[in-house]
Amino acid sequence: MSEQLIRQRGSIKGSLTSFTKFVEAKRAEHVLSDADVVQLRDRLLRVEDLYKQFNEVQFEIEAVIDDAKLAEQHDERANFDNAYFKITAIAKIILTKYEEKDDNMSVHSSAAAFSNVASGSSSSKGVKLPVISMPKFSGSYENWLEFRETFESLVHQNEALTPIQRYHYLRASLEGSAAQVIKSVEFTAAGYEVAWQTLCDRYNNAKLLVHNHIKSIFSLDIITKETSGKIRKLVDDLSKHLRSVEQLKQNIENWDPLLIFITASKLDPKTLVEWEKYSAEIEIPTLENLKMFLRSRADLFRNHRVPD
């Protein structure tokens, strides 16, 4: 058996033991500070990599071990599994208790800081601004521009926040594949700029962004039953994607015929017939004509209280 593999395995087990001691110590404290919560979250992310490392090393050991000693190695694996899953479960339970509190603090603290900067002396005048919700981003290109602009105005350009606070809010705002993009970036003041730039480098891809917004326009929900809510959603979704395409410096001035065709194809038969009647009196219908028609149609249904 390779002594090097044994040493590697021992180092991994030692790291798990260190993590276990940290978790147990924080568990005994009952109440954790914000720094403790952030540290526990980061340590948990790192210890998850230990499990992969252990399995890789253990597989190599088991591949070269004598059959007579294989049962002993299976015990090694079982002992590590038991220790790993037990302590990570405890860590996750501890974090769950603070997750909601942590998110709420992020939202209110960021909103308050942003409000103070944006409103100047409004707080001294007794004006209470509404709380601005922190954006969430899970890696969808069609939501990137909205997330980026909101996060930049609330956090990135907020001079009332320190870099480490900005990094904390950034981590709290990311989910799914987006969170994985900055997973390996160190949680430090200097690390924030690296993390934000890494995220921008990944998603500030104009070609992909335009592609995804156009794809979303073609994939707008089809209305099977005419209701106010569904009609308004169709108009709102279309407008949102077009605004994003324009932000990406695409000229959509001559897109009206195509957009009218796509949008009309999403309408239920009754609304489509009414649109054909309405547009028959217009020599060259524009997209704005269609939007106005649909908004009026939605208002009509709303006024007559047709359920969505």
CSV table of all heavy atoms in Angstrom, one decimal, residues 26 41 43 47 63 67 71 92 99 101 104 114 163 179 185 227 230 241 261 277 281 284 287 299 305-306:
chain,number,residue,atom,x,y,z
A,26,LYS,N,-19.3,25.6,18.2
A,26,LYS,CA,-20.3,26.6,17.9
A,26,LYS,C,-21.7,26.1,18.3
A,26,LYS,O,-22.5,26.9,18.8
A,26,LYS,CB,-20.3,26.9,16.4
A,26,LYS,CG,-19.0,27.6,15.9
A,26,LYS,CD,-18.6,28.8,16.7
A,26,LYS,CE,-17.3,29.4,16.4
A,26,LYS,NZ,-16.9,30.5,17.3
A,41,ARG,N,-20.7,28.6,7.3
A,41,ARG,CA,-21.2,28.3,5.9
A,41,ARG,C,-20.0,28.0,5.0
A,41,ARG,O,-20.1,27.1,4.2
A,41,ARG,CB,-22.0,29.5,5.4
A,41,ARG,CG,-22.7,29.3,4.0
A,41,ARG,CD,-23.4,30.5,3.6
A,41,ARG,NE,-24.5,30.8,4.4
A,41,ARG,CZ,-24.7,31.9,5.1
A,41,ARG,NH1,-23.8,32.9,5.0
A,41,ARG,NH2,-25.8,32.2,5.8
A,43,ARG,N,-17.0,27.0,5.8
A,43,ARG,CA,-16.3,25.8,6.2
A,43,ARG,C,-17.1,24.6,5.7
A,43,ARG,O,-16.5,23.5,5.3
A,43,ARG,CB,-16.2,25.7,7.7
A,43,ARG,CG,-15.0,26.5,8.3
A,43,ARG,CD,-15.0,26.5,9.8
A,43,ARG,NE,-13.9,27.2,10.4
A,43,ARG,CZ,-12.9,26.7,11.0
A,43,ARG,NH1,-12.8,25.3,11.0
A,43,ARG,NH2,-11.9,27.4,11.5
A,47,VAL,N,-15.7,21.6,3.4
A,47,VAL,CA,-15.6,20.2,3.9
A,47,VAL,C,-16.4,19.3,2.9
A,47,VAL,O,-16.1,18.1,2.9
A,47,VAL,CB,-16.2,20.1,5.3
A,47,VAL,CG1,-17.7,20.0,5.3
A,47,VAL,CG2,-15.6,19.0,6.1
A,63,ALA,N,-7.8,-0.4,-4.4
A,63,ALA,CA,-7.5,-1.0,-5.7
A,63,ALA,C,-6.2,-1.8,-5.6
A,63,ALA,O,-5.9,-2.7,-6.3
A,63,ALA,CB,-7.3,0.0,-6.8
A,67,ASP,N,-6.6,-8.7,-0.7
A,67,ASP,CA,-8.0,-9.1,-0.4
A,67,ASP,C,-8.2,-9.3,1.1
A,67,ASP,O,-9.3,-9.1,1.6
A,67,ASP,CB,-8.4,-10.3,-1.2
A,67,ASP,CG,-8.5,-10.0,-2.7
A,67,ASP,OD1,-8.6,-8.8,-3.0
A,67,ASP,OD2,-8.5,-11.0,-3.5
A,71,ALA,N,-11.6,-5.9,4.0
A,71,ALA,CA,-12.7,-5.6,5.0
A,71,ALA,C,-12.3,-4.4,5.9
A,71,ALA,O,-13.1,-3.6,6.3
A,71,ALA,CB,-13.0,-6.9,5.8
A,92,LYS,N,-25.6,21.8,9.0
A,92,LYS,CA,-26.8,22.3,8.2
A,92,LYS,C,-28.0,22.7,9.1
A,92,LYS,O,-28.7,23.7,8.8
A,92,LYS,CB,-27.2,21.3,7.2
A,92,LYS,CG,-26.1,21.1,6.1
A,92,LYS,CD,-26.5,20.0,5.1
A,92,LYS,CE,-25.4,19.8,4.1
A,92,LYS,NZ,-25.7,18.7,3.2
A,99,GLU,N,-30.6,31.0,8.8
A,99,GLU,CA,-30.7,31.3,7.4
A,99,GLU,C,-31.8,32.4,7.1
A,99,GLU,O,-31.5,33.4,6.5
A,99,GLU,CB,-31.1,30.1,6.5
A,99,GLU,CG,-30.8,30.2,5.1
A,99,GLU,CD,-29.3,30.2,4.8
A,99,GLU,OE1,-28.5,29.5,5.4
A,99,GLU,OE2,-28.9,31.1,4.0
A,101,LYS,N,-33.1,34.4,9.4
A,101,LYS,CA,-32.6,35.6,10.1
A,101,LYS,C,-31.6,36.4,9.2
A,101,LYS,O,-31.6,37.6,9.1
A,101,LYS,CB,-32.1,35.3,11.4
A,101,LYS,CG,-31.5,36.5,12.2
A,101,LYS,CD,-30.9,36.0,13.5
A,101,LYS,CE,-30.1,37.1,14.2
A,101,LYS,NZ,-29.4,36.7,15.4
A,104,ASN,N,-33.1,38.1,6.1
A,104,ASN,CA,-33.8,39.3,6.5
A,104,ASN,C,-32.9,40.4,6.8
A,104,ASN,O,-33.1,41.6,6.5
A,104,ASN,CB,-34.7,39.0,7.7
A,104,ASN,CG,-35.9,38.1,7.3
A,104,ASN,OD1,-36.3,38.0,6.1
A,104,ASN,ND2,-36.5,37.4,8.2
A,114,PHE,N,-28.7,51.6,1.4
A,114,PHE,CA,-29.0,52.2,0.1
A,114,PHE,C,-29.9,53.4,0.2
A,114,PHE,O,-29.7,54.4,-0.4
A,114,PHE,CB,-29.7,51.1,-0.8
A,114,PHE,CG,-30.1,51.7,-2.1
A,114,PHE,CD1,-29.2,52.1,-3.1
A,114,PHE,CD2,-31.5,51.8,-2.4
A,114,PHE,CE1,-29.7,52.6,-4.3
A,114,PHE,CE2,-31.9,52.3,-3.6
A,114,PHE,CZ,-31.0,52.7,-4.5
A,163,PRO,N,-16.4,46.4,1.6
A,163,PRO,CA,-16.3,45.3,0.6
A,163,PRO,C,-16.7,43.9,1.2
A,163,PRO,O,-17.4,43.1,0.5
A,163,PRO,CB,-14.8,45.3,0.3
A,163,PRO,CG,-14.3,46.7,0.5
A,163,PRO,CD,-15.1,47.2,1.7
A,179,ALA,N,-24.2,30.6,-7.8
A,179,ALA,CA,-23.5,30.5,-6.6
A,179,ALA,C,-22.2,29.7,-6.8
A,179,ALA,O,-21.1,30.0,-6.1
A,179,ALA,CB,-24.3,29.8,-5.5
A,185,VAL,N,-13.8,31.4,-4.6
A,185,VAL,CA,-13.2,32.7,-4.3
A,185,VAL,C,-13.2,33.0,-2.8
A,185,VAL,O,-14.3,32.8,-2.2
A,185,VAL,CB,-14.0,33.9,-5.0
A,185,VAL,CG1,-13.3,35.2,-4.8
A,185,VAL,CG2,-14.0,33.6,-6.5
A,227,THR,N,-58.0,35.6,-20.2
A,227,THR,CA,-58.2,36.2,-18.9
A,227,THR,C,-57.4,37.5,-18.8
A,227,THR,O,-56.4,37.7,-19.6
A,227,THR,CB,-57.8,35.3,-17.7
A,227,THR,OG1,-56.4,35.1,-17.8
A,227,THR,CG2,-58.5,34.0,-17.8
A,230,LYS,N,-53.6,36.7,-17.8
A,230,LYS,CA,-52.8,36.1,-18.8
A,230,LYS,C,-52.4,37.0,-19.9
A,230,LYS,O,-51.3,37.0,-20.5
A,230,LYS,CB,-53.5,34.8,-19.3
A,230,LYS,CG,-53.6,33.7,-18.3
A,230,LYS,CD,-54.3,32.5,-18.9
A,230,LYS,CE,-54.4,31.4,-17.8
A,230,LYS,NZ,-55.2,30.2,-18.3
A,241,HIS,N,-38.5,41.5,-22.2
A,241,HIS,CA,-37.4,40.9,-23.0
A,241,HIS,C,-37.0,41.9,-24.1
A,241,HIS,O,-35.8,42.0,-24.4
A,241,HIS,CB,-37.9,39.6,-23.7
A,241,HIS,CG,-38.1,38.5,-22.7
A,241,HIS,ND1,-37.1,38.0,-21.9
A,241,HIS,CD2,-39.2,37.7,-22.5
A,241,HIS,CE1,-37.6,37.1,-21.2
A,241,HIS,NE2,-38.8,36.9,-21.5
A,261,PHE,N,-46.5,38.9,-35.3
A,261,PHE,CA,-46.8,37.5,-35.7
A,261,PHE,C,-46.6,36.6,-34.5
A,261,PHE,O,-47.5,35.7,-34.2
A,261,PHE,CB,-45.9,37.1,-36.9
A,261,PHE,CG,-46.1,35.7,-37.3
A,261,PHE,CD1,-47.1,35.2,-38.0
A,261,PHE,CD2,-45.1,34.7,-36.8
A,261,PHE,CE1,-47.3,33.9,-38.4
A,261,PHE,CE2,-45.3,33.4,-37.1
A,261,PHE,CZ,-46.4,33.0,-37.9
A,277,LYS,N,-60.0,41.9,-36.3
A,277,LYS,CA,-61.0,42.9,-36.6
A,277,LYS,C,-60.4,44.3,-36.3
A,277,LYS,O,-60.6,45.2,-37.1
A,277,LYS,CB,-62.2,42.7,-35.8
A,277,LYS,CG,-63.0,41.4,-36.1
A,277,LYS,CD,-64.2,41.3,-35.2
A,277,LYS,CE,-65.0,40.0,-35.5
A,277,LYS,NZ,-66.1,39.8,-34.5
A,281,GLU,N,-58.6,47.8,-39.6
A,281,GLU,CA,-58.8,49.2,-39.9
A,281,GLU,C,-57.5,50.0,-39.8
A,281,GLU,O,-57.5,51.2,-40.0
A,281,GLU,CB,-59.7,49.8,-38.8
A,281,GLU,CG,-61.1,49.1,-38.8
A,281,GLU,CD,-62.0,49.7,-37.7
A,281,GLU,OE1,-61.6,50.6,-37.1
A,281,GLU,OE2,-63.1,49.1,-37.6
A,284,ILE,N,-50.9,49.7,-41.6
A,284,ILE,CA,-49.8,48.9,-41.2
A,284,ILE,C,-49.7,48.9,-39.7
A,284,ILE,O,-49.2,49.8,-39.0
A,284,ILE,CB,-48.5,49.5,-41.7
A,284,ILE,CG1,-48.5,49.7,-43.3
A,284,ILE,CG2,-47.3,48.7,-41.3
A,284,ILE,CD1,-47.3,50.3,-43.9
A,287,LEU,N,-46.4,47.2,-33.3
A,287,LEU,CA,-46.4,46.4,-32.1
A,287,LEU,C,-47.1,47.2,-31.0
A,287,LEU,O,-47.8,46.6,-30.2
A,287,LEU,CB,-45.0,46.0,-31.7
A,287,LEU,CG,-44.8,45.2,-30.4
A,287,LEU,CD1,-45.5,43.8,-30.6
A,287,LEU,CD2,-43.4,45.0,-30.0
A,299,ASP,N,-58.1,45.2,-19.5
A,299,ASP,CA,-58.9,46.1,-18.7
A,299,ASP,C,-60.4,45.7,-18.8
A,299,ASP,O,-61.1,45.8,-17.8
A,299,ASP,CB,-58.7,47.5,-19.1
A,299,ASP,CG,-57.3,48.1,-18.8
A,299,ASP,OD1,-56.7,47.4,-17.9
A,299,ASP,OD2,-56.9,49.1,-19.4
A,305,ARG,N,-64.7,41.6,-14.1
A,305,ARG,CA,-64.3,40.7,-13.0
A,305,ARG,C,-64.3,39.2,-13.5
A,305,ARG,O,-64.8,38.3,-12.9
A,305,ARG,CB,-65.2,40.8,-11.8
A,305,ARG,CG,-65.1,42.1,-11.1
A,305,ARG,CD,-66.0,42.2,-9.9
A,305,ARG,NE,-65.9,43.5,-9.3
A,305,ARG,CZ,-66.5,43.8,-8.2
A,305,ARG,NH1,-67.4,42.9,-7.6
A,305,ARG,NH2,-66.4,45.0,-7.6
A,306,VAL,N,-63.7,39.0,-14.7
A,306,VAL,CA,-63.5,37.7,-15.2
A,306,VAL,C,-62.4,37.1,-14.5
A,306,VAL,O,-61.3,37.6,-14.5
A,306,VAL,CB,-63.3,37.7,-16.7
A,306,VAL,CG1,-63.0,36.3,-17.2
A,306,VAL,CG2,-64.4,38.3,-17.5
